[in-house]
Amino acid sequence: MSHVTGIYGHVTWQLRNEDGTVAAEGEGANLVTTTGDRMYAGRGAGIASPLAAPTGMKLGTGTTNPAKTGAGAALITYLSDSQQGFDSGYPSAAAQGSGWRVTYKVTYPTGKATTGSAITEAVIVNETLTDATSAAGSTIARILLSGVTAKGSTQTLTITWTHDLLGA
């Protein structure tokens, strides 16, 4: 008998202009880091002092490939003013097939996390949200984004992550 188990991540993002039209959008697989695995396992096992729950997201301009540990498990090049708590109602969890889907969503409003450079990375963190980079030890998941060439001051950026926790 074969069993398919694990945590599988997917991200969608959409950059909208002031009039609501879509300026850019994309999707891709995100990597749940070793810190993320530990957070899910500790909370699921009811460990007395599990890792802190995710608090929000941060953006960056780095291009290092995502990795379970090490440099690729951290935010590489922090984008100033990109710390943002989750939207109301998130995170959420719901039964999905043979497991559960956890959904995280952040909307960066106009005037927040603006840049003339491409936004190339995003992370979910479990730390107090400050205007600074994040280490691998507080990064739950990381993805490299493509297609977000810049975020102007009148644009909004919405990023939605799903983590599917699959069981047999």
Side-chain angles (χ1 to χ4, degrees), residues 57-71:
M57 295 182 205
K58 292 184 177 185
L59 304 174
T61 58
T63 58
T64 299
N65 285 329
K68 295 293 276 183
T69 62

Side-chain angles (χ1 to χ4, degrees), residues 31 46 62 80 116 125 139:
L31 182 72
S80 182
V125 296
T139 302

Side-chain angles (χ1 to χ4, degrees), residues 27-84:
E27 64 179 298
N30 76 84
L31 182 72
V32 176
T33 65
T34 297
T35 297
D37 290 343
R38 185 173 161 216
M39 186 268 309
Y40 280 120
R43 290 184 168 277
I47 293 174
S49 297
L51 290 180
T55 54
M57 295 182 205
K58 292 184 177 185
L59 304 174
T61 58
T63 58
T64 299
N65 285 329
K68 295 293 276 183
T69 62
L75 187 63
I76 302 302
T77 308
Y78 176 70
L79 173 63
S80 182
D81 192 34
S82 73
Q83 76 282 6
Q84 182 76 22

